[in-house]
Amino acid sequence: MIVTLRQGADPDAVRKELIARGLWVSPLSDGARVAHYVVSPASTAVSAEDLSRIDGVASVAAPPSPHPRVSAQGPVVDVRGVAVGAAARPVFMCGPCAIESEERVFALAAKVSAAGAQMLRGGAYKPRTSPYAFQGHGEVALRWMRRAADTHGLRVVTEALGEGDVGLVAEYADLVQVGSRNMQNFALLKAVGRAGRPVLLKRAMAATVEEWLLAGEYLLSHGAPGVIFCERGIRGFDPSPRNLLDLGSVALLAHVYKLPVVVDPSHATGRRDLVLPLSRAAIGAGAAGVMIETHDDPGCALSDGPQALPPGELRGALDGLRAMARCS
Ligand code: PEP
Ligand code: MN
């Protein structure tokens, strides 16, 4: 909210009153008028009327949002009957980094479903740093994945890597993923929006929260029925974990902006022994769910083996996270 002061009012006195009500306050003055930009944390319920009664306040107004559709979206997105964003029921998106073969994806879908996941993840089109690395099996992998998911009552989340893949991916997927390397590929965002499916929008490695939200605005303004934001780690200065999981931004999206946000601890850390601790932290911070890479033979995985959780460990992990979400 923008709190504008009466002429001659003491900005410090008003600032103290705002802070005393538990608000975050930053100055917002343009020379002619003095104002405070005020953000209300989730735990603090204050009304505009309450603020307008503070001595020295002339008016209280909501600033226009630079991403009105994202601001209006609400905290829950429906993915073919699975509500993502209902806090007490976390959503689990599990599966391999890449869809490697028909047999493997069928076997894994059975285990992922038995462990309590609602969605099968996996790439048919893989964004790889090296052009010589495995690029994904393409359309045939989409077909395998869809049939495996349907057989085991799972939704499909998979990435559209380029504009040319969008139509095909949207045919097979319930939730179309935009990868972190493509978060600001605006032509792709427009094409994915036009496909009319809900979207999982991964945060780019060096994107600010505002840039991430504006990428979501591209999707919604071009027709996407809903956007789920996915924090997967930003690039830090220390390569010890693969990336730097920014849980502050997860809490900001979940609690202040009231948006559906999930966390991918697999790409965030690059190592399977940190996936569960960071999944717990993610749920604690307000994530509506987690995306966990799973592989039944991680040593032979065609990509990201070191971060894949064996399915045998998945059930216990998901049970624990569900129990935790119910208590928080
Ligand atoms: C993925 O989820 O398969 C992936 C490539 O993730 P990211 O875009 O976050 O690197
Ligand atoms: Mn991966």
Side-chain angles (χ1 to χ4, degrees), residues 95-98 121 123 126-128 177 181 202 232 242 264 266-267 293 303-305 307:
C97 179
R121 67 136 286 143
K126 293 301 303 173
R128 305 306 302 279
Q177 180 171 324
R181 290 156 191 80
K202 290 199 149 190
R232 47 78 73 203
R242 185 173 177 181
D264 169 354
S266 306
H267 290 93
E293 284 192 347
S303 54
D304 284 348
Q307 69 198 32

Side-chain angles (χ1 to χ4, degrees), residues 29-298:
S29 301
D30 59 10
R33 64 182 189 149
V34 179
H36 291 305
Y37 181 63
V38 166
V39 176
S40 161
S43 52
T44 315
V46 279
S47 66
E49 296 81 69
D50 178 26
L51 299 187
S52 62
R53 281 195 289 270
I54 296 173
D55 196 27
V57 169
S59 65
V60 180
S65 169
H67 31 71
R69 288 180 168 85
V70 169
S71 302
Q73 178 183 263
V76 180
V77 166
D78 177 79
V79 180
R80 208 160 60 84
V82 173
V84 182
R89 198 161 187 281
V91 171
F92 302 117
M93 307 168 178
C94 305
C97 179
I99 303 300
E100 299 179 356
S101 73
E102 186 171 17
E103 297 69 35
R104 273 199 193 285
V105 72
F106 265 81
L108 208 52
K111 292 174 187 169
V112 154
S113 170
Q118 299 94 325
M119 296 195 203
L120 182 64
R121 67 136 286 143
Y125 299 92
K126 293 301 303 173
R128 305 306 302 279
T129 304
S130 165
Y132 307 115
F134 176 58
Q135 304 284 308
H137 286 304
E139 183 176 0
V140 69
L142 292 174
R143 227 176 296 134
W144 297 335
M145 192 182 186
R146 180 76 260 172
R147 286 205 297 112
D150 287 345
T151 305
H152 296 287
L154 296 163
R155 306 295 178 270
V156 165
V157 51
T158 192
E159 178 166 352
L161 190 58
E163 278 180 76
D165 320 326
V166 172
L168 206 54
V169 169
E171 238 178 75
Y172 289 94
D174 300 302
L175 179 63
V176 176
Q177 180 171 324
V178 172
S180 56
R181 290 156 191 80
N182 267 324
M183 191 204 86
Q184 285 190 313
N185 178 341
F186 301 114
L188 178 68
L189 295 176
K190 291 177 191 175
V192 170
R194 283 193 297 266
R197 288 255 183 267
V199 183
L200 183 77
L201 178 63
K202 290 199 149 190
R203 182 182 182 181
M205 293 172 207
T208 64
V209 166
E210 208 53 25
E211 288 166 339
W212 194 15
L213 297 175
L214 283 165
E217 188 73 11
Y218 262 92
L219 291 163
L220 292 175
S221 64
H222 284 82
V227 175
I228 299 159
F229 294 85
C230 179
E231 162 63 33
R232 47 78 73 203
I234 51 177
R235 189 157 279 178
F237 62 86
D238 184 355
S240 307
R242 185 173 177 181
N243 288 296
L244 178 64
L245 184 60
D246 180 7
L247 289 176
S249 294
V250 171
L252 185 67
L253 260 63
H255 295 295
V256 178
Y257 297 146
K258 314 244 184 269
L259 288 167
V261 56
V262 300
V263 165
D264 169 354
S266 306
H267 290 93
T269 63
R271 33 189 302 172
R272 77 177 60 89
D273 55 352
L274 297 183
V275 164
L276 186 53
L278 284 185
S279 296
R280 288 194 199 103
I283 299 290
V290 288
M291 171 175 262
I292 296 178
E293 284 192 347
T294 318
H295 197 286
D296 46 16
D297 189 0

